């Protein structure tokens, strides 16, 4: 993944086979949970053959509870706002240990092109206001004073002061580094096992509702743990030994995302996140500290993990409608990844109930974060740490992983 990889990974053979918590999945969610547990003094390992190589690798990194609201996910708003509020302290703690994340507390500008876009954004603005969210309509002159490269074809604009962004690849690398360094300083086992998890180990061999006591890897190695957190996105339902009552319903929602290099002549192309509706199609442009911009993202449920030519075409076409100089940039990366979408687009987060009301001991689920993995990482970490410490916050019961019933 990055140059940090070799520093932070431990060889599988060197790995202690007993930890306090084994986290399956080293995307941004699994890493945030593991790091938070390590900070609380737990011996933690994350198990993943390709840390941060899934949806995290493609993510644009918008911390945007307000401008992502238009996807009609009112049920998620409280969780998204709570997580956004945790971000300053979360990043502050990472920065104290020397990890930079490309975080920018700059604003988001939302624009539309044609009259239907104007109407959709006005309707959205009404809904945002009804939900107490701060979104300010601004004049085109004001929008251009903030982002001079906006197209003359932009016909309406809004300002969202509190929707910021970071670089998810830096965030993941920082979390990996911080996780390992805490463990080393404390003399605790900690780090990354670069292997695929095959399944859960239960206290009673024939009973998948019995206490979870570890994780078995595909090569048969067993890592014993007091608690196991399942945070491996779309791979989670493939784990052997999940409780039979648990239907981890997820679908892959593929998306293309582009990286373009701005070059000195046009730098900085934009300074804030620019989101747009272009004849009904959403597109966003996110600036990075390294002089690149990220353009995303399509949403496809066609089961193809490959890059779609039509998707790349649409992103470039629509990004140019908003910022014409996009046509002059170098296209340096085209990536497609799948987001783990659930039936209600909310995460599967919490302990698993059995009939009779008790929970499957030793098991926490944290998957299905769909488009919001980066934004929701701090709150996922807080909720999972709370559950493992024995504290449950009833506000988040709506996301319990068993809400879709029996498989
Ligand atoms: N969170 C943005 C996306 O998934 O495209």
């Amino acid at each position: 993944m990055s140059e940090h990889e070799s520093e932070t990974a431990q060889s599988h053979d060197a790995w202690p086979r007993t930890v306090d918590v084994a986290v399956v999945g080293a995307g941004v969610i699994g890493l945030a949970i593991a790091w938070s547990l390590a900070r609380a003094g737990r011996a933690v390992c994350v198990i993943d053959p390709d840390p941060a190589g899934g949806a995290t690798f493609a993510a644009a990194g918008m911390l945007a509870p307000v401008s992502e609201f238009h996807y009609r996910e009112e049920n998620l708003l409280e969780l998204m706002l709570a997580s956004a509020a945790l971000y300053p302290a979360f990043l502050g703690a990472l920065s104290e240990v020397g990890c930079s994340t490309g975080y920018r507390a700059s604003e988001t500008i939302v624009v539309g092109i044609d009259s239907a876009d104007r109407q959709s954004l006005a309707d959205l603005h009404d809904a945002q206001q009804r939900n107490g969210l701060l979104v300010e309509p601004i004049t085109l002159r004001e929008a251009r004073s903030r982002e001079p490269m906006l197209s003359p074809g932009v016909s309406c604009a809004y300002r969202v002061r509190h929707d910021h962004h970071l670089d998810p690849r830096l965030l993941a690398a920082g979390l990996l580094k911080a996780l390992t360094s805490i463990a080393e300083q404390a003399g605790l086992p900690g780090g990354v096992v670069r292997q695929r998890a095959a399944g859960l180990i239960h206290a009673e061999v024939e009973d998948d509702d019995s206490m979870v006591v570890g994780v078995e890897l595909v090569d048969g190695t067993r890592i014993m743990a007091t608690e196991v957190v399942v945070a491996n996105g779309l791979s989670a339902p493939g784990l052997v030994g999940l409780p039979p009552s648990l239907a981890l319903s997820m679908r892959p929602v593929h998306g293309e995302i582009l990286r373009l290099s701005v070059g000195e002549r046009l730098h900085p192309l934009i300074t804030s996140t620019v989101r747009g509706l272009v004849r009904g199609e959403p597109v966003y442009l996110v600036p990075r500290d390294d002089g690149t911009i990220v353009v995303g993202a399509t949403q496809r449920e066609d089961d193809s993990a490959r890059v779609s030519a039509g998707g790349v075409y649409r992103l470039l076409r629509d990004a140019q409608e908003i910022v014409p100089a996009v046509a002059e940039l170098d296209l340096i990366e085209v990536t497609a990844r799948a987001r783990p979408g659930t039936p209600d687009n909310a995460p599967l987060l919490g302990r698993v109930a059995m009939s009779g009301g008790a929970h499957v001991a030793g098991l926490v689920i944290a998957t299905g974060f769909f488009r919001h993995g980066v934004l929701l990482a701090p709150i996922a970490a807080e909720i999972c740490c709370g559950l493992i410490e024995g504290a449950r916050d009833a506000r988040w019961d709506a996301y319990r992983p068993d809400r879709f019933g029996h498989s």
Side-chain angles (χ1 to χ4, degrees):
M1 178 192 84
S2 71
E3 72 270 18
H4 295 299
E5 229 175 29
S6 54
E7 289 167 29
T8 53
Q10 292 190 3
S11 97
H12 176 210
D13 290 341
W15 183 252
R17 303 285 163 86
T18 301
V19 290
D20 294 330
V21 187
V23 179
V24 181
V28 71
I29 293 290
L31 288 170
I33 295 167
W35 176 57
S36 299
L37 289 164
R39 288 173 74 206
R42 303 283 182 147
V44 185
C45 73
V46 286
I47 301 164
D48 196 315
D50 181 22
T56 298
F57 185 74
M62 290 175 293
L63 308 178
V66 176
S67 42
E68 293 252 322
F69 173 77
H70 65 284
Y71 293 110
R72 303 194 204 295
E73 289 162 3
E74 288 86 345
N75 58 334
L76 268 176
L77 190 57
E78 188 183 3
L79 191 70
M80 296 204 296
L81 290 170
S83 200
L86 293 175
Y87 246 108
F90 183 78
L91 295 181
L94 262 183
S95 133
E96 271 170 27
V97 292
C99 299
S100 60
T101 58
Y103 175 69
R104 283 199 208 174
S106 57
E107 61 200 12
T108 294
I109 302 290
V110 182
V111 300
I113 298 288
D114 69 9
S115 61
D117 299 333
R118 281 199 298 283
Q119 187 59 54
S120 297
L121 291 176
D123 292 346
L124 167 63
H125 182 233
D126 288 346
Q128 287 164 324
Q129 283 196 306
R130 279 197 302 278
N131 282 277
L133 301 174
L134 178 66
V135 179
E136 301 157 73
I138 55 174
T139 63
L140 297 177
R141 180 189 291 263
E142 193 175 346
R144 269 190 210 99
S145 77
R146 294 175 179 284
E147 293 297 345
M149 302 301 263
L150 283 176
S151 163
V154 163
S155 73
C156 67
Y158 296 82
R159 179 183 184 206
V160 186
R161 289 177 195 239
H162 303 302
D163 277 1
H164 311 315
H165 65 264
L166 52 67
D167 182 337
R169 294 181 187 176
L170 290 179
L171 174 64
L175 288 168
L176 269 168
K177 187 174 157 204
L179 168 64
T180 306
S181 105
I182 288 180
E184 281 170 4
Q185 278 167 21
L188 295 168
V192 184
V193 177
R194 284 169 192 278
Q195 267 264 22
R196 194 171 296 284
L200 306 178
I201 305 169
H202 288 267
E204 309 290 333
V205 176
E206 297 291 327
D207 180 2
D208 288 348
D209 271 338
S210 68
M211 182 192 289
V212 174
V213 294
V215 178
E216 184 160 332
L217 308 182
V218 285
D219 70 356
T221 304
R222 290 158 74 88
I223 296 179
M224 307 312 289
T226 312
E227 297 270 1
V228 172
V229 180
V230 170
N232 55 339
L234 286 162
S235 301
L239 289 172
V240 173
L242 288 169
S245 62
L246 183 64
L248 285 181
S249 304
M250 282 186 283
R251 66 194 195 285
V253 182
H254 292 95
E256 281 82 25
I257 193 144
L258 315 178
R259 280 179 172 70
L260 299 102
S261 169
V262 173
E264 230 160 78
R265 193 171 60 82
L266 290 169
H267 185 80
L269 187 77
I270 49 173
T271 54
S272 22
T273 297
V274 177
R275 304 178 68 108
L277 262 188
V278 179
R279 288 176 250 294
E281 297 278 6
V283 65
Y284 49 77
L285 296 85
V286 184
R288 291 268 192 263
D289 286 345
D290 63 1
T292 61
I293 62 162
V294 174
V295 175
T298 51
Q299 291 201 77
R300 297 184 280 107
E301 300 197 29
D302 58 6
D303 278 336
S304 169
R306 283 185 254 174
V307 170
S308 136
V312 174
Y313 166 73
R314 186 183 79 63
L315 290 177
L316 288 173
R317 180 196 66 195
D318 294 348
Q320 283 175 60
E321 283 255 8
I322 292 174
V323 177
V326 163
E328 296 176 44
L329 309 185
D330 296 338
L331 178 59
I332 55 172
E333 185 188 312
V334 179
T335 301
R337 287 290 187 279
R339 313 166 179 88
T342 61
D344 59 5
N345 292 342
L348 304 167
L349 183 57
R351 293 209 183 263
V352 180
M354 296 180 290
S355 55
H359 290 113
V360 177
L363 179 64
V364 174
I365 306 289
T367 186
F369 286 80
F370 193 29
R371 285 188 306 265
H372 304 300
V374 175
L375 172 60
L376 295 180
I379 193 84
E382 187 174 277
I383 292 170
C384 290
C385 286
L387 290 170
I388 286 170
E389 298 298 335
R392 179 188 133 234
D393 184 336
R395 277 182 304 164
W396 314 125
D397 282 355
Y399 307 112
R400 64 182 198 280
D402 47 18
R403 68 183 179 276
F404 298 112
H406 294 247
S407 44

